[in-house]
Amino acid sequence: MQKANDAAEDERGTVSGLHLAGRPAEAPLRPVGPEAADDTTHDRHQAILEAAKQVGSLLKRQGHHFALAGSAAVYAHGGSGRLRHDADFCVRREDADAVAATLKEAGLTVVEPPEDWLWKARCLGQDIDLLFELAHEPVTSEMLGRAVELPVDSVHMPVLAATDLVWSLLASFSEHHCDFGAVLPIARALREKVDWERVREECADAPMPEAFLYLLERLRVIAPARGWP
């Protein structure tokens, strides 16, 4: 998750029951030319989706409490754009050992990086982040309880609620990490699903989120707190 990695700079085989096939030896050669970049992006997008589906299916089957997060969650909510980095899953810290055991039993590699707010795994050659915190706040049962069941490509799984997803992006803004351009299209795409008053309340008067909310108002993406003139 690129956002998670940026925030960190701020401060801090086979899956059971699923066949994880590698690229066939007879796969066609990749194109060379202007179309090559787009094809590579498409392949990466689909690879991340496939990894998210595999992990989500496995966690569902074992009864774990979780929610898809990050760019894959934006995609599940109807946002556009290609997935380019990894797949993120929110889990409670107290469930980390059980979740990791499930993934390890399925043949996935799970590692504990120096950061204490996530663990990492690999599935189908793609990075998987298991997040215990969002925007420096712990993942809670209440947050996971607000998750909505959505199709991720062809697999239904719990997906972080749009309000929690957008809040986590805004609350992570700081003087060192403040990419309005990356979050603006997400806010546009998900605006009808977001409780903006709750986002305002939970971001309080933090200057960077407040500036972004003001930008959304000026662009008429959302109504001002006092309503439209």
Side-chain angles (χ1 to χ4, degrees):
M1 178 180 189
Q2 187 61 43
K3 176 181 70 59
N5 290 337
D6 288 341
E9 292 176 5
D10 257 354
E11 30 170 290
R12 43 165 203 197
T14 56
V15 169
S16 177
L18 300 173
H19 177 60
L20 307 189
R23 180 179 293 276
E26 67 275 13
L29 295 175
R30 303 191 56 73
V32 176
E35 72 279 11
D38 288 341
D39 187 59
T40 300
T41 300
H42 174 77
D43 283 356
R44 183 67 187 278
H45 169 89
Q46 194 58 42
I48 294 171
L49 274 183
E50 291 300 323
K53 287 159 55 179
Q54 301 279 21
V55 172
S57 295
L58 183 60
L59 296 182
K60 266 180 60 176
R61 193 159 56 245
Q62 298 300 320
H64 291 296
H65 205 29
F66 73 96
L68 183 68
S71 57
V74 173
Y75 175 82
H77 275 291
S80 59
R82 294 289 179 184
L83 309 183
R84 297 169 184 261
H85 301 294
D86 52 26
D88 305 312
F89 289 86
C90 287
V91 299
R92 298 174 301 188
R93 188 180 295 274
E94 58 265 34
D95 297 332
D97 288 333
V99 167
T102 292
L103 298 182
K104 290 176 180 177
E105 287 170 7
L108 276 65
T109 300
V110 180
V111 298
E112 300 180 40
E115 298 82 8
D116 62 0
W117 49 273
L118 85 165
W119 287 358
K120 289 181 171 287
R122 292 281 289 177
C123 178
L124 295 173
Q126 303 302 314
D127 289 330
I128 304 293
D129 284 356
L130 305 173
L131 306 175
F132 314 136
E133 295 182 8
L134 285 179
H136 315 303
E137 294 294 329
V139 173
T140 63
S141 298
E142 292 74 20
M143 180 186 292
L144 296 182
R146 291 192 294 266
V148 292
E149 193 87 2
L150 292 175
V152 179
D153 211 6
S154 59
V155 175
H156 284 74
M157 68 180 73
V159 177
L160 203 66
T163 299
D164 289 318
L165 186 55
V166 170
W167 159 78
S168 70
L169 296 173
L170 270 62
S172 69
F173 286 153
S174 71
E175 290 84 353
H176 302 290
H177 170 76
C178 197
D179 189 354
F180 285 5
V183 181
L184 179 57
I186 296 173
R188 286 186 187 276
L190 274 57
R191 60 184 171 182
E192 301 297 334
K193 296 184 174 185
V194 174
D195 181 345
W196 291 104
E197 290 310 309
R198 200 185 113 208
V199 171
R200 283 189 174 98
E201 289 175 6
E202 296 196 6
C203 287
D205 293 323
M208 299 306 176
E210 188 175 29
F212 185 74
L213 289 167
Y214 177 69
L215 174 64
L216 293 182
E217 293 174 5
R218 289 298 306 272
L219 293 175
R220 301 184 76 83
V221 174
I222 63 173
R226 61 187 179 280
W228 296 115

